[in-house]
Amino acid sequence: MTNNKYLEPGARSAELYERARAVMPGGNTRTTVYSAPYPAYVASASGATVTDVEGQTRLDFVNNYTALIHGHAHPRILDAVSRQLTLGTAVSFPTETEVRLAELLVDRVDSIERLRFTNSGTEAVMMAVQAARAFTGRQKVARFEGCYHGAYDYAEDVLLPFNQPEADGRILAEHLGELAAVLVDPLPHRPGFIDPIAGFLPRLREITRELGIVLISDEIISFRLGYAGPQERYGYQADLTTLGKIIGGGFPVGAFGGRAEIMNTFDPSRSGSHLTHGGTFNGNPVTMVAGYESMAMLTPAEFDRLAALGDRVRVGLANIIEARGLSWQVTGQASLFKLHGHPRKLVDYRSSLMTEAERSAVEKFYMAMLGEGFILTPDLCGAVSTPMTAQNIDDMIAAADRVFAT
Ligand SMILES: Cc1ncc(COP(=O)(O)O)c(C=O)c1O
């Protein structure tokens, strides 16, 4: 039983999906937003809510996969973008807007001395890898099993287990002559925001430094952990960092940056050869002004408020799970959270895998929450946004409790 109007006979979403199927494979242009039998189509979004074409409004804990930390159509971002729209949306020259956002980011993250913008997180990771390859003269990339770094497939990966520094050190040493970089998501999102064990990231930093391998910290989601991001929180300094999502204020964005010595491989003013990095919309002023406003509003106090709301979600969900004696658990830090449909200890990708029955319970929960008016990702990740209130969160927890009761 669900209260999702978009699944009822004659729904406009079904009609739109049929039209989409005739022109896009499976009606889809972004795999992430497909859900069976077809997704709800959205008409508008404002603040913490999203309204579908059936007129059903839901509280949005996905925020375009954590990108819209200020929710939808934030007035301050709308103002900045509207002003910029009249001044030009993209030109074949640099603008002050890119300088302002770059200054803000370099100022916040100690290890970023120089950075460049891209149009997506995927591109940011690709360019960081390219920088590491040019800098080291080596080709391969090591990354952690089951972690997501964008829509690009690294064919020649070396896979590492998360949270096992000594095993990682051994594997890296075995491939030393071929490895350009280690790519790490400090709070890996795909396996479900699994906490790095104490000292893991600083140890990984030491190992990569000793072996002369470039450490790339992929913070495309986890940059929202705090004012200076995860490196400050977990006590390490990467050689390169990739950013995206919140730094674009709701518009397409990515950035990669780090040690000047490495980033200067892209410097077109220096004599001799340099890496080229084009991109028709890199640093486009619409994204840059939106991103600047988004980041400027994120003061340390605002991050604290978001983290308190995140705690309210995690504690609230954990309490109902315990009260009902369910074999579920909650992970996450700061504004991020995820529900897992099993009770096993989570340390890496393998420990996050679910049985068929557990997966189907998660799918049912997702649909039922959608019917209750709350949007989580289909694998039950969520993020709180600045327009949310404590009441919004308590309402979501009460809905989760009703869903667990059925
Ligand atoms: C850790 C991480 N890296 C890279 C990406 C890719 O970013 P984009 O979807 O902007 O290409 C994502 C997207 O979710 C991500 O979570």
Side-chain angles (χ1 to χ4, degrees):
M1 175 58 196
T2 141
N3 303 315
N4 287 310
K5 293 196 190 112
Y6 79 96
L7 294 172
E8 288 172 8
R12 177 131 168 77
S13 290
E15 233 176 80
L16 288 171
Y17 184 63
E18 273 316 300
R19 276 172 56 195
R21 282 183 72 82
V23 285
M24 289 179 275
N28 179 268
T29 186
R30 183 182 177 197
T31 313
T32 329
V33 302
Y34 175 77
S35 69
Y38 54 83
Y41 280 71
V42 164
S44 64
S46 174
T49 62
V50 168
T51 303
D52 69 18
V53 292
E54 268 58 60
Q56 196 166 352
T57 296
R58 299 179 175 88
L59 196 66
D60 185 14
F61 282 91
V62 177
N63 297 297
N64 197 21
Y65 276 79
T66 76
L68 280 79
I69 197 165
H70 300 293
H72 303 277
H74 190 286
R76 189 164 150 186
I77 295 177
L78 282 190
D79 274 357
V81 168
S82 308
R83 216 173 316 120
Q84 187 59 46
L85 289 176
T86 65
L87 297 173
T89 56
V91 283
S92 54
F93 289 92
T95 67
E96 185 176 350
T97 64
E98 72 200 34
V99 184
R100 285 177 81 213
L101 183 55
E103 283 170 347
L104 182 150
L105 295 169
V106 167
D107 191 49
R108 286 197 187 187
V109 185
D110 268 0
S111 68
I112 302 185
E113 295 171 336
R114 300 282 185 279
L115 68 77
R116 295 175 72 91
F117 292 106
T118 61
N119 296 295
S120 68
T122 297
E123 284 172 74
V125 175
M126 286 166 62
M127 295 314 300
V129 165
Q130 201 176 330
R133 285 178 172 155
F135 186 69
T136 59
R138 302 189 288 263
Q139 282 302 303
K140 283 197 181 174
V141 175
R143 61 185 184 87
F144 290 87
E145 191 178 27
C147 294
Y148 181 70
H149 297 285
Y152 178 73
D153 179 23
Y154 298 93
E156 286 193 276
D157 279 349
V158 170
L159 287 181
L160 304 169
F162 195 70
N163 273 336
Q164 294 187 41
E166 301 320 315
D168 297 333
R170 277 196 303 279
I171 298 170
L172 294 175
E174 275 167 30
H175 294 270
L176 189 54
E178 321 161 293
L179 277 173
V182 170
L183 190 51
V184 65
D185 176 348
L187 184 73
H189 126 81
R190 183 55 70 75
F193 303 133
I194 290 177
D195 284 325
I197 56 171
F200 170 61
L201 293 163
R203 181 74 190 112
L204 184 68
R205 169 66 287 186
E206 269 172 25
I207 293 170
T208 47
R209 186 176 286 124
E210 281 160 17
L211 296 176
I213 301 171
V214 172
L215 181 65
I216 305 174
S217 187
D218 181 354
E219 303 176 8
I220 285 163
I221 287 189
S222 55
F223 195 51
R224 57 152 63 219
L225 288 185
Y227 187 74
Q231 291 175 49
E232 185 188 60
R233 188 183 189 92
Y234 297 122
Y236 68 105
Q237 296 236 319
D239 296 307
L240 294 176
T241 300
T242 53
L243 304 174
K245 304 214 190 243
I246 65 168
I247 69 157
F251 289 80
V253 79
F256 64 105
R259 280 166 55 197
E261 194 190 358
I262 304 178
M263 290 302 293
N264 285 344
T265 48
F266 291 94
D267 176 356
S269 70
R270 73 175 195 174
S271 55
S273 67
H274 60 85
L275 286 179
T276 58
H277 165 225
T280 305
F281 291 98
N282 288 357
N284 77 78
V286 175
T287 296
M288 295 295 106
V289 298
Y292 183 84
E293 294 306 324
S294 167
M295 295 310 297
M297 284 188 276
L298 293 172
T299 58
E302 197 59 349
F303 275 109
D304 287 348
R305 193 175 70 83
L306 277 170
L309 289 174
D311 282 340
R312 196 176 182 100
V313 175
R314 287 182 294 273
V315 171
L317 290 173
N319 284 345
I320 59 172
I321 288 169
E322 195 186 335
R324 292 192 172 278
L326 299 169
S327 295
W328 282 43
Q329 61 185 312
V330 194
T331 56
Q333 292 287 334
S335 56
L336 295 165
F337 65 93
K338 173 163 172 158
L339 270 164
H340 299 258
H342 70 86
R344 296 179 293 281
K345 188 173 162 60
L346 289 158
V347 286
D348 56 13
Y349 166 68
R350 290 182 194 203
S351 60
S352 75
L353 294 172
M354 288 183 290
T355 64
E356 269 312 305
E358 288 162 353
R359 200 189 321 276
S360 114
V362 161
E363 277 163 24
K364 257 182 67 191
F365 186 89
Y366 161 73
M367 258 318 169
M369 285 301 280
L370 216 51
E372 288 274 353
F374 298 89
I375 308 173
L376 300 170
T377 70
D379 60 354
L380 309 185
C381 283
V384 296
S385 59
T386 58
M388 280 183 184
T389 61
Q391 186 61 52
N392 288 151
I393 283 158
D394 295 349
D395 291 346
M396 188 271 274
I397 290 161
D401 199 35
R402 281 193 296 279
V403 170
F404 278 134
T406 58

